Amino acid sequence: MTLRWAELVANRERLERYYDAVPPLDGVLVRAVHLDRDGPTVTMRLELGAFPDRPEAEWVAEGCDRLQCHLRFLDVGDLKVSGWPLSASGGVRLERLAPAERRRIAVEVGGAGGALMRFTSNASLAVGHFAALRGGGDTYWHAGPVDRLRLGNGLPDVTDHVFYERL
């Protein structure tokens, strides 16, 4: 059975601030995948399939129509990647593992040309680093004041561990 991801998010209030009904993960764009150097953690930067119901005023004024956020998976195991890139809109699928492992989920991320990433994770997810952008653009309007101050209207390099390992 495919799970509704928002129900697994520990800091769900961050999603509910923007959405009446959180969009599903099928068809999301996976923009970046970060493997934490200090532990079995995977963080994905995702472009969600629907713009927020309650966007920031600045996002509306700037004509933004897309929202990205980070989704973090903890206690990752059995990680397998085949093909690349995962950035095409293949979506992310979550399924609960056998009853003996009720607090674990199986994660499958699809991409272009059959690219695939699979792993297992703790069933408690976290979101953060919300940023809006206009279609096709590379200018970001970050929701968090620290991100706005530190990053301006850009994104850091994918090797920036502070950005990708902390929500």
Side-chain angles (χ1 to χ4, degrees):
M1 176 182 131
T2 302
L3 298 169
R4 295 176 53 153
W5 73 286
E7 295 172 2
L8 302 176
V9 175
N11 57 347
R12 192 169 162 178
E13 69 280 355
R14 287 183 167 184
L15 285 169
E16 292 171 345
R17 174 181 176 184
Y18 298 113
Y19 290 100
D20 293 325
V22 177
L25 291 179
D26 56 336
V28 299
L29 293 174
V30 179
R31 295 297 190 179
V33 175
H34 183 83
L35 306 177
D36 191 325
R37 62 186 173 175
D38 294 326
T41 303
V42 171
T43 302
M44 291 182 218
R45 184 166 52 90
L46 305 173
E47 190 167 299
L48 298 178
F51 196 64
D53 303 308
R54 293 179 298 280
E56 303 280 343
E58 179 184 32
W59 299 350
V60 174
E62 294 294 340
C64 296
D65 58 356
R66 298 172 187 217
L67 184 71
Q68 291 185 5
C69 69
H70 286 194
L71 181 59
R72 183 174 60 201
F73 299 87
L74 299 171
D75 192 23
V76 169
D78 307 313
L79 177 69
K80 293 177 180 67
V81 179
S82 61
W84 202 257
L86 291 170
S87 62
S89 59
V92 178
R93 210 169 114 226
L94 310 174
E95 290 191 13
R96 194 167 305 279
L97 291 177
E101 301 181 68
R102 285 194 308 259
R103 293 300 305 154
R104 296 208 44 87
I105 58 174
V107 181
E108 185 176 284
V109 183
L116 189 65
M117 178 167 59
R118 289 184 175 143
F119 58 90
T120 60
S121 165
N122 182 283
S124 181
L125 310 178
V127 295
H129 293 298
F130 289 89
L133 64 157
R134 285 187 291 248
D138 59 358
T139 302
Y140 293 81
W141 286 269
H142 298 280
V146 173
D147 285 347
R148 280 195 305 268
L149 180 65
R150 183 173 177 259
L151 303 172
N153 288 103
L155 284 177
D157 187 81
V158 294
T159 60
D160 185 329
H161 298 296
V162 172
F163 183 68
Y164 285 96
E165 293 174 7
R166 294 190 181 132
L167 297 181

